[in-house]
Amino acid sequence: MEIRFLGHAAFELREGDATVLVDPFLTGNPKAAVGEQELSPQTILLTHGHADHFGDTVTIAKRCGSTVVAIVEIANELAAEGIEHVHDPNLGGTVLLDWGFVKLVPAWHTSTTPKGTVNTPAGLIIGIGGKVIYHLGDTGLFGDLRLANDLARSGARAAGWEAPAQIDVALMCIGGHYTMDRFDAVSAAALVGARTVIPCHYDTFPPITTDAQAFKADVETSGAASVAVLAPGETYSP
Ligand code: NI
Ligand code: MN
């Protein structure tokens, strides 16, 4: 399977015919690798409702008939907007999809949609193409990140998969100001225990400018994981 970084916290996951978009903030994203009209996902997954994640969800889902998975308050707003296929889990819930599964797990942040719906933010543990990907969403550093591999194993079992030894790839915010910074993210990488970390949510706007190569050096020196720094548009295959 392939992970394409679309800029900021947006990723496209592909396996065979399945295309899954996470946090499709493209319009208004100065680092967007593509325009929203270039994408046709079967599924859109949202970590939370902030505009830099919610992004083009409604436009894309209506144009493509995509299924959207989001925490219940956001899911209800999307259903009211006329999105036809919506799943509304809460933290701890695992949703099965044609291509795999997604499980909502805690993240420490705040969240309101652009229309004002208050909701709890989440991280997403995603099983696709036999790989397990963990998008941390927006979060500060917190100790329960050490449960990530347990949550991935139980999510996989809930979906009828064999429990994986460890998360293959963690998509991790490192930009600071709105989330943990690259220094806290070094500790997060150790707690999560993924094989590979792909940093995101940095350099999009001035307050979240950071040094991703220095993050990579710190994590790899610590031995916690390998780090793949992707420019917007680049692809990584675990
Ligand atoms: Ni946010
Ligand atoms: Mn954000």
Side-chain angles (χ1 to χ4, degrees):
M1 59 90 41
E2 286 191 338
I3 300 169
R4 179 159 67 135
F5 183 41
L6 299 180
H8 196 55
F11 289 87
E12 183 186 61
L13 313 178
R14 277 172 171 276
E15 163 68 16
D17 291 339
T19 307
V20 179
L21 265 189
V22 186
D23 287 358
F25 166 52
L26 301 157
T27 304
N29 174 356
K31 298 288 182 176
V34 295
E36 62 83 9
Q37 68 289 343
E38 295 171 65
L39 301 168
S40 49
Q42 270 145 307
T43 312
I44 299 173
L45 311 177
L46 293 180
T47 62
H48 67 296
H50 281 153
D52 60 317
H53 300 260
F54 190 89
D56 299 293
T57 295
V58 172
T59 310
I60 297 170
K62 283 191 174 170
R63 175 169 52 76
C64 303
S66 319
T67 296
V68 185
V69 184
I71 203 160
V72 57
E73 289 79 10
I74 301 178
N76 289 343
E77 181 187 304
L78 291 168
E81 287 271 326
I83 307 298
E84 225 174 309
H85 311 287
V86 175
H87 291 283
D88 65 347
N90 210 316
L91 298 177
T94 301
V95 174
L96 308 187
L97 295 138
D98 291 343
W99 47 262
F101 70 90
V102 60
K103 173 171 180 163
L104 265 64
V105 300
W108 270 100
H109 190 63
T110 64
S111 183
T112 307
T113 67
K115 288 211 161 164
T117 304
V118 176
N119 59 90
T120 297
L124 305 173
I125 291 176
I126 303 159
I128 180 169
K131 303 290 181 182
V132 177
I133 316 297
Y134 175 24
H135 193 310
L136 274 72
D138 282 0
T139 187
L141 176 63
F142 63 110
D144 283 354
L145 288 171
R146 67 168 55 84
L147 297 175
N149 275 320
D150 288 335
L151 291 165
R153 283 189 279 268
S154 49
R157 293 188 65 196
W161 288 32
E162 211 171 294
Q166 74 183 119
I167 292 164
D168 291 286
V169 182
L171 311 174
M172 186 176 290
C173 51
I174 67 162
H177 194 76
Y178 302 115
T179 69
M180 61 185 171
D181 61 18
R182 72 175 175 90
F183 305 105
D184 280 340
V186 175
S187 303
L191 292 174
V192 167
R195 214 178 297 278
T196 301
V197 173
I198 296 175
C200 65
H201 211 279
Y202 67 94
D203 286 359
T204 320
F205 309 108
I208 61 171
T209 299
T210 199
D211 185 342
Q213 291 299 336
F215 168 72
K216 173 181 168 74
D218 286 346
V219 172
E220 292 186 344
T221 300
S222 78
S226 64
V227 176
V229 177
L230 301 184
E234 286 186 336
T235 293
Y236 176 83
S237 292

